[in-house]
Amino acid sequence: MAHLLASTPVVGELGRLFADAGHELYLVGGPVRDALLGVLQHDLDFTTSARPDDIEKLLRGWTKAVWDIGKDFGTIGAKKRANGVEWQIEITTFRADIYRSDSRKPEVNFGDNITDDLVRRDFTVNAMAFDVVNNRFVDPYGGLTDLASRVLRTPFTAERSFSDDPLRMMRAARFASQLQFTVAPDVQRAMTDMADRIEIISAERVRDELCKLLLTDHPRPGLNLLVTTGLAERVLPELAALRQTQDEHKRHKDVYAHSLVVLDQAIELERARGHQPDLVLRLAALLHDVGKPATRVFEEDGTVSFHHHDVVGAKLTRKRMRALKFSTDETKAVCQLVEQHLRFHGYGEGSWTDSAVRRYVRDAGDQLERLHILTRSDCTTRNQRKAARLRAAYDDLERRIAELAEQEELDAIRPDLNGDQIMQILDLKPGREVGEAYKFLLNLRMDQGPLGEEQATLALQQWWQTRTPATGN
């Protein structure tokens, strides 16, 4: 700790600043945990004996970038650039909050010592502190031992901890993935017994923890924990329902296990292609088969079918993402991927025309790269020949897309004539007939590729003379 902090001058500067003013100051929580694991992030959290007004006054004399948005909760934020690094800093007065069973939020009360402040934190590995005034490590609840054992425990009983703040159960799942720690048996038991408490937490806070979990390097342990404890039935019931689709007669693959493998493989491909962790892709990978439980049919020949599970899955995904208050853009993108994840099937069995490839690209739109990754990840067969055949088929599809893209600007397919040109050629005013003509030209563009204005005009005029007017024209 001392070695790591020696390379971080802002910590020492703040220690001296608060000590000279007669206050205690501790680096606390995640930064201490991460420093003990060998990494010190650029976000630093401190706790102090100073009250918010005093914190703000001291910080404003130390840096120009100070904000008081969390002042009612005892927190003052600041930024400070040092040694080429911009440090994000939050300093909070010792807390001794009071929680009520029917409330989503604690009653904020300031405390007067570090030990009482640490006991209100979620897990022992986050309840360690470093006294930056006296250069002293503080660990009253055995966090260092649990860090070495890679175990998540609570500073006091798990029941009390989760009763105080039920979101900590979601955080346990997130840390199980983020830190690759196991959850202590009493903690998992309390999560199971108290899963219904999560329902008093706002959808936004639940969503944020779920997103943090999915964006870890290895989400699977945390997702399994949500499912086995029953939390998933309350925050993501579509995922929990996949386990109910397990088939003891082995007539189809385990949909829940398959979905986790698809997620793992999507993350691997995401990295291999040089992408940052992608929430939309990961949600789509996890949820792409959530329509299967509702569409499972046992056929007369003993096989199992899931007809239209892509469409049903998109509807279920949209409903859940709206309930969790995801943005409109995120919801639209994930649902599109879920609905389109089967489009590729059949490509390797027949010869797609250039028209079919163009339609695939156009329908995917700006989700094409994600669809590439999702479709490749959806291959979880243990039959190596079949897996190799599917990979080769998709390699061929991507090659054809690239070739056509060089020729035709596939990412922005438009008819050869725009609306104004259509109205001029056919002597029309704005209305439904212009839309019909535009659709005809777009389909022609898909089928035959770029025609140029002259050929497109001739085709449009021929179509107009022979078309059957739509009802109501």
Side-chain angles (χ1 to χ4, degrees), residues 112-129:
D112 57 14
N113 67 85
I114 185 62
T115 302
D116 289 348
D117 178 273
L118 293 177
V119 77
R120 56 169 289 278
R121 296 178 182 267
D122 52 8
F123 302 104
T124 59
V125 296
N126 295 329
M128 300 177 287

Side-chain angles (χ1 to χ4, degrees), residues 18-19 21-26 46-55 58 74 91-95 110-114 117 131 133:
F18 277 70
H23 301 298
E24 301 172 56
L25 184 70
Y26 299 83
F46 295 86
T47 187
T48 179
S49 57
R51 292 302 191 252
D53 286 339
D54 297 323
I55 298 171
L58 289 169
I91 304 179
T92 303
T93 303
F94 292 150
R95 296 273 288 270
F110 298 140
D112 57 14
N113 67 85
I114 185 62
D117 178 273
D131 183 344
V133 172

Side-chain angles (χ1 to χ4, degrees), residues 1 4 29-41 43 125-126 128 147 178-179:
M1 282 290 295
L4 282 167
V32 176
R33 179 198 70 221
D34 291 343
L36 289 167
L37 291 172
V39 180
L40 189 61
Q41 306 291 345
D43 292 351
V125 296
N126 295 329
M128 300 177 287
L147 190 69
Q178 179 181 323
L179 302 174

Side-chain angles (χ1 to χ4, degrees), residues 381-391:
T381 179
R382 295 181 181 178
N383 184 322
Q384 293 304 309
R385 283 188 178 181
K386 182 178 180 181
R389 187 167 65 250
L390 287 169
R391 284 195 299 271

Side-chain angles (χ1 to χ4, degrees), residues 248-380:
E248 67 275 13
H249 301 296
K250 307 299 182 184
R251 287 165 292 187
H252 64 80
K253 67 180 68 175
D254 182 332
V255 182
Y256 175 72
H258 163 76
S259 298
L260 293 183
V261 173
V262 172
L263 176 60
D264 289 342
Q265 293 183 165
I267 292 171
E268 290 177 13
L269 277 174
E270 181 186 80
R271 294 183 190 129
R273 293 190 174 213
H275 301 309
Q276 293 297 313
D278 185 342
L279 179 64
V280 167
L281 172 65
R282 295 183 183 198
L283 279 166
L286 183 65
L287 301 175
H288 75 284
D289 273 348
V290 294
K292 281 190 170 180
T295 59
R296 183 172 67 167
V297 173
F298 295 97
E299 305 290 356
E300 292 182 0
D301 62 1
T303 61
V304 178
S305 65
F306 301 95
H307 295 306
H308 307 300
H309 77 267
D310 46 348
V311 177
V312 173
K315 291 180 179 178
L316 291 172
T317 298
R318 182 175 295 105
K319 180 179 179 181
R320 180 54 44 199
M321 291 187 69
R322 286 176 174 172
L324 289 172
K325 310 297 185 182
F326 279 92
S327 73
T328 300
D329 288 345
E330 288 170 330
T331 301
K332 181 180 178 181
V334 174
C335 292
Q336 177 184 334
L337 290 167
V338 171
E339 186 168 354
Q340 293 179 352
H341 80 274
L342 294 179
R343 291 286 182 91
F344 166 74
H345 290 267
Y347 177 84
E349 300 170 6
S351 179
W352 276 21
T353 63
D354 285 350
S355 173
V357 175
R358 292 186 193 102
R359 291 179 189 279
Y360 186 84
V361 172
R362 185 176 187 276
D363 289 347
D366 59 3
Q367 300 306 311
L368 182 61
E369 173 65 3
R370 286 169 172 152
L371 187 59
H372 285 332
I373 295 174
L374 176 59
T375 303
R376 287 181 178 275
S377 302
D378 198 21
C379 174
T380 62

Side-chain angles (χ1 to χ4, degrees), residues 432-433 436-437 440 460-473:
R432 182 166 54 185
E433 291 174 322
E436 291 176 24
F440 161 75
L460 176 64
Q461 290 171 332
Q462 291 173 1
W463 168 81
W464 181 252
Q465 292 172 1
T466 60
R467 93 191 205 291
T468 300
T471 302
N473 275 8

Side-chain angles (χ1 to χ4, degrees), residues 149-161:
S149 302
R150 306 183 72 81
V151 173
L152 286 173
R153 301 182 192 277
T154 52
F156 41 43
T157 66
E159 289 81 5
R160 179 180 169 187
S161 180

